[in-house]
């Protein structure tokens, strides 16, 4: 499996065009708070790199102050430093790492896996591993460790067995599905150090569901279920009650029945 993983990773890496890394000063970025005026933000961070909409308008507008990964065929989402404005004031500031506290020493933060969903079961031909990138000094690379659940060197035991460790320059890795239970984790590395490993993420690859064949029914059965060509069946007339012991049943006059 390791060779298949490596081949797949190289194929996807060649298709990816690296984006230019642009990051604001982390300390200044963390000073941006909800309700700040646009003028205050620009005085703190400088001019944005891109603006969508009118920040002073009475609707949400998006202002970009940096990017870590651009949307591509391989990674179909932007990972940017974004400030949302409403009526000229900060509505929300979002960093691409999805963490609250950014590192001040440049050492990578712990990447945050988000796909596949933890403890999920699914059927695919290609497995895509995705995570939010690490904050810190760039360039950054990622080390991904993948383990399979199966027989250990002792055939009588089933346990997690390390399958392969791969590297990626982007928060994405793709490889051919092999089936069974897998788990993976990721850490970030730059020239200042490395992050801790992320928590293990678990998933299971299951074979496609086999369609259940319905048993063939004869025409009479089908007609009975659909009601086509079937005569209604009337319940039988109730049997007359037996006469009381020691006597005969007395016929009640019709005039009494009508009363």
């Amino acid at each position: 499996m390791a060779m298949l993983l490596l081949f797949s990773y190289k194929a996807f890496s060649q298709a990816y065009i690296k984006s230019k890394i642009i990051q604001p000063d982390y300390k200044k970025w963390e000073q941006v708070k909800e309700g700040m005026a646009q003028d205050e933000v620009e005085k703190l961070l400088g001019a944005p790199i891109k603006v969508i909409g009118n920040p002073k308008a009475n609707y949400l507008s998006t202002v970009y102050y940096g990017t870590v990964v651009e949307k591509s065929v391989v990674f179909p989402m932007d990972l940017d430093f974004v400030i949302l404005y409403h009526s000229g004031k900060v509505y929300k500031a979002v960093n691409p790492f999805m963490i609250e506290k950014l590192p001040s020493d440049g050492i990578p933060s712990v990447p945050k896996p988000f796909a596949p969903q933890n403890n999920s079961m699914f059927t695919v031909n290609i497995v895509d591993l995705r995570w939010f990138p690490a904050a810190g000094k760039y360039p950054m690379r990622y080390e991904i460790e993948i383990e399979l659940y199966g027989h250990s060197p002792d055939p009588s035991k089933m346990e997690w067995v390390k399958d392969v460790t791969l590297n990626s320059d982007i928060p994405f890795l793709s490889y051919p599905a092999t089936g069974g239970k897998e788990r993976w984790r990721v850490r970030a590395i730059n020239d200042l150090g490395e992050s801790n490993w992320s928590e293990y993420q678990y998933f299971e690859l299951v074979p496609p569901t086999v369609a259940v064949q319905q048993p063939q029914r004869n025409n009479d059965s089908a007609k009975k279920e659909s009601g086509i060509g079937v005569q209604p069946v009337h319940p039988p007339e109730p049997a007359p009650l037996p006469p009381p012991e020691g006597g005969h049943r007395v016929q009640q006059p019709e005039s009494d029945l009508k009363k």
Side-chain angles (χ1 to χ4, degrees):
M1 178 179 174
M3 292 186 65
L4 286 174
L5 284 172
L6 190 58
F7 172 79
S8 176
Y9 165 69
K10 286 183 177 179
F12 277 100
S13 294
Q14 291 168 0
Y16 177 75
I17 300 175
K18 290 184 180 180
S19 58
K20 183 179 179 181
I21 306 298
I22 302 174
Q23 296 195 90
D25 182 280
Y26 285 179
K27 291 182 179 179
K28 292 181 178 180
W29 178 262
E30 290 185 333
Q31 294 177 41
V32 177
K33 304 297 180 183
E34 182 180 337
M36 283 183 67
Q38 180 186 3
D39 295 342
E40 294 180 76
V41 174
E42 291 188 0
K43 185 177 180 181
L44 179 67
L45 298 178
I49 60 175
K50 183 170 65 173
V51 177
I52 298 178
N54 181 0
K56 297 188 182 300
N58 190 28
Y59 57 80
L60 287 179
S61 300
T62 308
V63 176
Y64 294 81
Y65 273 93
T67 185
V68 176
V69 178
E70 291 180 354
K71 185 185 296 184
S72 67
V73 174
V74 176
F75 199 89
M77 62 185 293
D78 292 308
L79 293 173
D80 305 300
F81 289 85
V82 171
I83 295 178
L84 301 177
Y85 283 100
H86 189 280
S87 302
K89 294 187 177 182
V90 174
Y91 176 77
K92 191 173 185 179
V94 181
N95 68 65
F97 317 115
M98 297 301 162
I99 58 177
E100 293 185 5
K101 184 66 177 175
L102 300 178
S104 58
D105 54 8
I107 296 176
S109 63
V110 179
K112 298 183 68 173
F114 67 87
Q117 184 176 350
N118 196 26
N119 295 317
S120 58
M121 297 176 64
F122 50 90
T123 301
V124 293
N125 294 322
I126 299 294
V127 177
D128 289 340
L129 304 182
R130 302 175 191 269
W131 56 93
F132 291 110
K137 182 183 177 183
Y138 277 73
M140 191 90 65
R141 68 180 178 88
Y142 300 95
E143 190 172 73
I144 305 94
E145 187 178 83
I146 301 170
E147 295 186 348
L148 307 178
Y149 188 74
H151 289 289
S152 67
D154 181 353
S156 64
K157 294 182 179 179
M158 295 285 286
E159 61 184 14
W160 290 105
V161 179
K162 185 175 179 180
D163 181 59
V164 67
T165 299
L166 296 175
N167 292 288
S168 176
D169 294 330
I170 58 174
F172 169 83
L173 184 71
S174 180
Y175 60 91
T178 57
K181 296 179 180 179
E182 299 187 23
R183 71 177 184 179
W184 65 284
R185 60 181 182 172
V186 58
R187 66 178 175 181
I189 302 171
N190 65 11
D191 59 4
L192 296 177
E194 60 188 36
S195 72
N196 292 327
W197 287 101
S198 67
E199 295 291 330
Y200 274 113
Q201 302 293 296
Y202 297 80
F203 62 88
E204 183 173 358
L205 298 170
V206 296
T209 303
V210 179
V212 179
Q213 295 292 332
Q214 294 293 334
Q216 295 292 328
R217 298 174 297 173
N218 59 40
N219 291 336
D220 291 340
S221 299
K223 287 181 179 180
K224 286 180 181 179
E225 290 191 12
S226 64
I228 299 175
V230 179
Q231 296 298 324
V233 178
H234 299 287
E237 293 291 335
L241 294 174
E245 292 184 9
H248 299 280
R249 177 172 296 283
V250 178
Q251 181 69 34
Q252 193 170 5
E254 290 186 9
S255 58
D256 293 340
L257 293 173
K258 294 179 180 178
K259 291 181 181 180

